[in-house]
Amino acid sequence: MTVSHGCYDVVVIGAGPAGAVASSLLADLGYRVLVLEKEHFPRFSIGESLLPQSMAFLEQAGMLQAVVEAGFQHKNGAAFTRADDYDCFDFREKFSDGWGTTFQVQRDRFDKVLADCASAHGVEICYGQTVVAVTTMADAVQIDVVSEDGSAYQVGAAFILDGSGFGRVLPRLLQLEKASTLAPRVSLFTHIKDNITDAGFDRNKILITVHPEHPAVWYWLIPFSNGRASVGVVLPRELHAGSECTECELLQQFIAEGGMLQRVLENAEFDTPVGIIDGYSCDVESLYGERFALLGNAGEFLDPVFSSGVTIALKSASLAAEVVHQQLQGLEPDWQKEYAVPLMQGVDTFRAFVEGWYDGRLQDVIFADGKSEQIKEMISSILAGYAWDTGNPYVRDPRRLTTLAELCRK
């Protein structure tokens, strides 16, 4: 195979959290790793509320200290409100062992912190590079790349990981995409100067608000450490399509109907354009194949309601790095058994809770009076990202959520 831009052990598409952690873990094992990133960092991204489980993966990759020192907003739980109902989950009071706190982060800064850590670990990161084709050969993968200046070149690698997130480079190039089982929804979002003075609002928790009349419509409010916040609304596609308002007007219109959220944001300054993602849920035919694997959102993205995206991305990076290591050592790892199955165990737990959120079961549990502390700790563990802890009955069998909802309704 002829290449004009060098040959690597591993090429990673995307320098986001999944790509940064996977590449850093592999570089620490002595491999020559190249990351090809289409954008330049820092760059805007949503998915700003981390889960405590993610801290273990950042620690594993040697990135935790840099994240702690970056000065992000402390996070210890999640609060939920619907009309006059309110309840919160403190992630320090959970069923599973492990971290009980984390951070709420501006992703432009957070992602750059992780990418810079990967560089410090010996990873070569090239920004402004677009992967346009991938060809698998007997002993290597050929990657065709176009630089931002229009020049084209090829890179060779023994293995390729796709951490391109919503860019979903390999699923598009290799025809791996398939429709999600989740209903299509639209997300409108922006950053604001929040000016929050409400004494009842806890900046250490993400606030999830359910629309008082439309339970399928919900909002997030993620406060940052600098007096700003991320705010967004998720709604069925038909509600968005039927509106004649601008995106900013529609977002503010829904916030005005949000009960506690409206009161908390009564002094907010909407000083940033509103973004939109339409039909964000996605799936693939396979998470791996001949000399490639998909990380995080490049494989499957569920829904933003439980902020699971970064945690799943980091879990996939941790799992994939170990299996790639085995493969590059000449072993024959079982990618289905050692990567896809363990990764999907947690994804399927989150999926069951996402489905339970939209069909009302989980909302009925969250807002129920008189929940036992043990049950609340089990739910808190999953909300904190411990969706792989099979000691938790609701991870081992997420169908238990249906029985729990029926009990709460009674």
Side-chain angles (χ1 to χ4, degrees):
M1 181 179 65
T2 301
V3 296
S4 58
H5 206 262
C7 193
Y8 296 81
D9 296 311
V10 183
V11 166
V12 180
I13 306 173
V21 166
S23 63
S24 187
L25 291 172
L26 288 164
D28 286 346
L29 291 169
Y31 296 109
R32 189 181 181 206
V33 185
L34 170 68
V35 174
L36 298 170
E37 168 57 50
K38 183 177 181 179
E39 306 293 336
H40 284 271
F41 283 20
R43 54 89 178 94
F44 180 84
S45 179
I46 58 171
E48 301 117 331
S49 194
L50 305 183
L51 302 183
Q53 170 72 91
S54 64
M55 304 292 276
F57 303 123
L58 295 175
E59 189 172 32
Q60 178 192 15
M63 299 177 174
L64 184 58
Q65 183 175 353
V67 172
V68 170
E69 293 175 352
F72 294 117
Q73 172 67 46
H74 180 76
K75 176 186 175 182
N76 60 25
F80 296 85
T81 180
R82 178 183 64 189
D84 295 327
D85 296 325
Y86 178 90
D87 201 357
C88 65
F89 291 78
D90 189 324
F91 294 158
R92 296 165 295 184
E93 300 171 0
K94 62 183 183 351
F95 176 85
S96 305
D97 294 331
W99 287 84
T101 61
T102 184
F103 298 101
Q104 299 181 145
V105 302
Q106 297 96 323
R107 285 288 301 278
D108 55 351
R109 290 178 51 217
F110 175 75
D111 289 11
K112 189 173 190 308
V113 167
L114 300 195
D116 288 348
C117 283
S119 294
H121 282 237
V123 176
E124 182 180 345
I125 302 180
C126 293
Y127 295 95
Q129 312 298 305
T130 300
V131 173
V132 295
V134 172
T135 305
T136 302
M137 300 182 179
D139 60 347
V141 180
Q142 177 179 290
I143 301 112
D144 290 72
V145 188
V146 175
S147 182
E148 59 189 344
D149 64 7
S151 60
Y153 60 92
Q154 293 178 330
V155 177
F159 203 91
I160 184 169
L161 291 170
D162 187 354
S164 61
F166 287 119
R168 298 171 61 76
V169 174
L170 288 187
R172 288 187 294 101
L173 293 178
L174 303 180
Q175 289 78 53
L176 298 173
E177 294 183 299
K178 72 175 184 178
S180 173
T181 59
L182 300 173
R185 296 183 174 90
V186 176
S187 174
L188 305 176
F189 52 88
T190 191
H191 283 184
I192 58 175
K193 184 177 181 182
D194 60 62
N195 295 320
I196 297 174
T197 58
D198 190 320
F201 178 70
D202 185 352
R203 294 193 76 90
N204 293 320
K205 293 177 174 65
I206 182 176
L207 178 65
I208 302 294
T209 302
V210 181
H211 193 283
E213 297 178 8
H214 303 288
V217 175
W218 65 274
Y219 318 74
W220 74 76
L221 177 61
I222 303 170
F224 300 134
S225 58
N226 60 353
R228 298 185 64 78
S230 171
V231 63
V233 63
V234 172
L235 59 156
R237 182 178 280 169
E238 58 269 22
L239 283 182
H240 176 260
S243 173
E244 297 181 357
C245 300
T246 66
E247 311 299 356
C248 185
E249 290 170 342
L250 187 59
L251 175 59
Q252 293 190 57
Q253 173 186 311
F254 273 103
I255 290 174
E257 300 170 357
M260 177 183 174
L261 180 67
Q262 188 278 329
R263 297 193 301 273
V264 167
L265 295 181
E266 61 182 355
N267 299 317
E269 298 177 35
F270 287 75
D271 56 5
T272 305
V274 172
I276 178 172
I277 300 178
D278 186 355
Y280 47 75
S281 297
C282 51
D283 203 352
V284 290
E285 297 289 347
S286 177
L287 291 170
Y288 63 92
E290 185 67 25
R291 297 188 178 276
F292 78 86
L294 310 179
L295 306 177
N297 294 351
E300 180 173 6
F301 181 75
L302 297 171
D303 191 272
V305 65
F306 302 123
S307 305
S308 61
V310 172
T311 298
I312 292 172
L314 298 185
K315 175 70 172 182
S316 70
S318 177
L319 287 170
E322 175 56 34
V323 187
V324 170
H325 174 49
Q326 294 180 43
Q327 185 155 332
L328 294 181
Q329 290 300 301
L331 304 176
E332 296 183 358
D334 185 334
W335 275 89
Q336 181 66 18
K337 181 179 179 180
E338 299 179 55
Y339 180 66
V341 169
L343 178 61
M344 291 306 297
Q345 179 184 63
V347 173
D348 288 341
T349 300
F350 281 125
R351 187 199 323 279
F353 272 60
V354 168
E355 292 171 346
W357 173 265
Y358 284 106
D359 66 26
R361 287 174 295 151
L362 186 56
Q363 292 187 28
D364 289 342
V365 170
I366 287 173
F367 294 114
D369 294 326
K371 294 187 291 294
S372 76
E373 286 304 312
Q374 183 182 39
I375 292 294
K376 191 166 184 178
E377 288 175 359
M378 291 175 180
I379 301 301
S380 182
S381 284
I382 295 173
L383 297 180
Y386 293 91
W388 292 268
D389 177 12
T390 55
N392 187 336
Y394 292 93
V395 173
R396 195 163 56 247
D397 185 4
R399 293 173 298 180
R400 289 173 179 262
L401 181 61
T402 298
T403 303
L404 179 58
E406 291 172 353
L407 292 172
C408 288
R409 288 164 182 157
K410 293 177 181 180

